[in-house]
Amino acid sequence: MDAAELDALEEGRGALGLEPFRAIAVGGEGAERFLQDLLTADIARLAPGAAARSLLLGPTGRIRADLHVLRQAEGFLLLQALDQPRSIAELLAPYALVADVRLQEVPPPALLAVPTPGAWRFVPAETPGLVRVSPQAVESWRIRRGIARFPVDLDEDSLPAEAGLDDGVIVAREKGCYLGQESVAKVRNLGHPPRVVLALRAEAPVRTGEAVLALGGQVGLVTSVDPLDGAAVLARVRWEAREERLATAGGVGLAPR
């Protein structure tokens, strides 16, 4: 990884191969309705070739998967990072039993992912003007941008609101029901999440997993550290500590970015 890769990502020219992803093809006459009823994004609005970042939640609104949904000429392709706890195919399979839909794990297609702060773009591998980047460069880019990732900064007990993912796009607010919708709406309208992911700057090198202290005790953990310079970090902390002065257990100050 070098500065040229980060520059390409910042300029929208960085492209990542799909090797770090599993690919699940979703087909059948009921495919669109099936995904629309379960995933948080508005799948029905996707044009052929377009993609959306979406979540699959549990009934209580906790995150079960974070994925990209690509609409193809026939059906959909779900792209999910390999480090997530459970395959999206495994998670969706029980619901497919009562729908006219087919789920099949397939080899990742010959596409490149172009990361953006919103929905990623997926383009043919031969697309000119792109710079191939490494997964480490994408990690550095997203940490500097303050973009939380499941299951790194969020876990299976996390609500979308902890990282601002209930934004009306990743979690669509205008579409009909989806799995976990009532819990998401309750947090948005009546309260706040128990934890929040913060984009911070460390005064000295820190490590992923270090305890974050405030209010006389531990209030969270460092979840991501920029692999390039170590200064940009993400930390998941309790809601009541989000505006407090934070430091790691090793005494390194953490300031808002």
Side-chain angles (χ1 to χ4, degrees), residues 180-193:
Q181 182 188 40
E182 290 186 7
S183 296
V184 171
K186 178 182 281 189
V187 172
R188 184 172 67 245
N189 297 327
L190 300 177
H192 56 75

Side-chain angles (χ1 to χ4, degrees), residues 5-237:
E5 292 182 57
L6 284 176
D7 288 344
L9 286 163
E10 288 292 343
E11 295 166 4
R13 299 183 294 107
L16 177 70
L18 298 188
E19 293 82 6
F21 295 90
R22 65 169 54 92
I24 307 298
V26 185
E29 291 186 7
E32 180 182 298
R33 178 64 181 271
F34 174 75
L35 295 175
Q36 183 78 345
D37 287 348
L38 291 171
L39 301 182
T40 60
D42 194 347
I43 306 305
R45 292 178 176 268
L46 283 180
R53 182 182 176 189
S54 186
L55 306 175
L56 176 70
L57 308 178
T60 61
R62 266 65 183 180
I63 298 173
R64 294 292 171 265
D66 185 349
L67 62 148
H68 299 279
V69 184
L70 174 63
R71 186 162 206 152
Q72 300 182 301
E74 296 183 4
F76 297 84
L77 189 69
L78 310 182
L79 296 167
Q80 178 193 27
L82 290 169
D83 63 354
Q84 294 187 24
R86 298 176 65 187
S87 164
I88 187 65
E90 176 188 350
L91 292 164
L92 291 176
Y95 304 98
L97 295 175
V98 294
D100 182 12
V101 66
R102 299 183 304 275
L103 301 172
Q104 181 182 7
E105 185 157 359
V106 298
L111 298 175
L112 294 175
V114 180
T116 72
W120 288 20
R121 294 188 295 118
F122 294 89
V123 300
E126 64 275 12
T127 300
L130 297 178
V131 175
R132 291 291 294 263
V133 299
S134 65
Q136 293 79 13
V138 175
E139 276 293 277
S140 181
W141 169 83
R142 68 115 188 144
I143 293 166
R144 293 179 181 207
R145 288 270 183 158
I147 300 171
R149 186 167 78 83
F150 173 83
V152 177
D153 310 293
L154 301 160
D155 57 27
E156 290 183 290
D157 195 42
S158 293
L159 298 163
E162 294 180 23
L165 302 182
D166 59 336
D167 58 357
V169 178
I170 298 170
V171 176
R173 297 176 182 173
E174 304 301 325
K175 63 178 273 186
C177 293
Y178 55 84
L179 191 61
Q181 182 188 40
E182 290 186 7
S183 296
V184 171
K186 178 182 281 189
V187 172
R188 184 172 67 245
N189 297 327
L190 300 177
H192 56 75
R195 305 177 296 182
V196 63
V197 178
L198 301 177
L200 304 168
R201 180 162 298 280
E203 297 174 349
V206 298
R207 298 184 309 276
T208 300
E210 280 195 69
V212 176
L213 307 181
L215 301 172
Q218 181 174 344
V219 296
L221 293 171
V222 174
T223 55
S224 289
V225 178
D226 182 354
L228 192 60
D229 68 8
V233 305
L234 298 178
R236 187 174 64 237
V237 303

